[in-house]
Amino acid sequence: MDFETTFNDIKHFFDFRLKAYNVISCQCAYPRYRQIIAIDCVDTSDSFSCYETELLISLSRPYFNWSSDGTTPDSEWSCKKCGSTYSYEWADFSISVERQTVKLLDLKTIGIGKPALKPIPLYLGLSGHSFPPQSEIRRGLRQEFEAYMNDEY
């Protein structure tokens, strides 16, 4: 399968997961959701971007108050449903690497999902110049990544 098809499949999966999260509670209640949107190369002193992080942040915008002008992301986001707050950061490291991250500041809902684990079994993976150790993030199969995000293990 080519990358575009794979990317679109994960996009549809994330869209479904976000809707499911918000039927039960909201995305904020799920530690693994919070883990994926917070993947940040700065934390490991590397230079990469994460496809899952970029995609999930983009798809999550309708669930947050994220922009005072409706187009430019503010540095603080808040969940429309529970009011949890997050710090939004974006940086352009090079022509081929830009990163964005959304990190929890204040959780205002009860966590109901399974705890985040390491290494994170990413399916789409990372792109960039230097990468974290396999003990932090590793390449996983699609079924494994979806099971991880579905809290099935």
Side-chain angles (χ1 to χ4, degrees), residues 12-124:
H12 293 296
F13 169 74
F14 277 158
D15 187 49
F16 173 80
R17 279 301 337 134
L18 285 164
K19 289 174 183 168
Y21 291 157
N22 277 272
V23 165
I24 297 167
S25 177
C26 67
Q27 68 282 353
C28 305
Y30 294 86
R32 294 174 181 186
Y33 166 84
R34 296 191 313 263
Q35 178 188 44
I36 298 298
I37 64 169
I39 292 174
D40 188 357
C41 64
V42 172
D43 294 341
T44 59
S45 300
D46 291 298
S47 178
F48 67 85
S49 61
C50 175
Y51 290 111
E52 282 88 350
T53 300
E54 300 286 325
L55 181 56
L56 193 52
I57 289 171
S58 173
L59 293 172
S60 295
R61 287 186 176 183
Y63 300 94
F64 287 97
N65 296 310
W66 59 273
S67 175
S68 50
D69 69 6
T71 59
T72 307
D74 293 336
S75 62
E76 190 170 296
W77 291 18
S78 63
C79 177
K80 289 180 178 178
K81 197 166 189 179
C82 76
S84 293
T85 56
Y86 295 78
S87 170
Y88 172 81
E89 294 180 25
W90 177 89
D92 193 7
F93 287 122
S94 71
I95 273 182
S96 60
V97 177
E98 66 177 52
R99 74 45 145 146
Q100 65 177 329
T101 184
V102 177
K103 295 182 180 179
L104 182 67
L105 295 172
D106 184 22
L107 185 62
K108 295 185 179 181
T109 190
I110 296 170
I112 58 174
K114 287 191 176 180
L117 303 174
K118 287 189 179 180
I120 306 166
L122 296 178
Y123 179 58
L124 296 175

Side-chain angles (χ1 to χ4, degrees), residues 1-17 52 55 120-125 138-153:
M1 197 178 322
D2 66 10
F3 185 79
E4 183 178 351
T5 302
T6 302
F7 184 87
N8 285 329
D9 286 348
I10 295 301
K11 181 178 179 181
H12 293 296
F13 169 74
F14 277 158
D15 187 49
F16 173 80
R17 279 301 337 134
E52 282 88 350
L55 181 56
I120 306 166
L122 296 178
Y123 179 58
L124 296 175
R138 67 177 175 77
R139 191 78 147 153
L141 299 173
R142 177 182 174 167
Q143 296 84 352
E144 180 183 22
F145 177 71
E146 289 182 6
Y148 182 72
M149 295 304 293
N150 285 332
D151 284 339
E152 294 170 357
Y153 79 86

Side-chain angles (χ1 to χ4, degrees), residues 120-140:
I120 306 166
L122 296 178
Y123 179 58
L124 296 175
L126 309 173
S127 67
H129 305 295
S130 60
F131 304 101
Q134 293 268 333
S135 60
E136 292 288 317
I137 296 174
R138 67 177 175 77
R139 191 78 147 153

